[in-house]
Amino acid sequence: MKQTYQPKKKQRKAEHGFLKRMATKSGRAILSAKRAKGRHKLSA
């Protein structure tokens, strides 16, 4: 049986990356919330 998580760096960046977050208003809200919380890593 294959493992369920088959990682793809390009696909992960496209879906959860910084530029994708910055592209939408709600995405920017997510980043600002993470900054307010004091996160060191904001996105994938």
Side-chain angles (χ1 to χ4, degrees), residues 21 24-36 39 42:
R21 292 267 195 255
T24 63
K25 191 182 177 183
S26 57
R28 288 192 293 275
I30 290 166
L31 289 177
S32 65
K34 285 175 190 281
R35 281 197 186 96
R39 286 281 185 100
L42 298 174

Side-chain angles (χ1 to χ4, degrees), residues 6-24:
Q6 303 290 325
K8 289 181 175 72
K9 285 183 182 177
K10 199 171 183 180
Q11 193 174 340
R12 181 166 163 78
K13 269 196 168 180
E15 288 171 24
H16 311 287
F18 184 79
L19 293 175
K20 181 74 176 261
R21 292 267 195 255
M22 288 301 283
T24 63

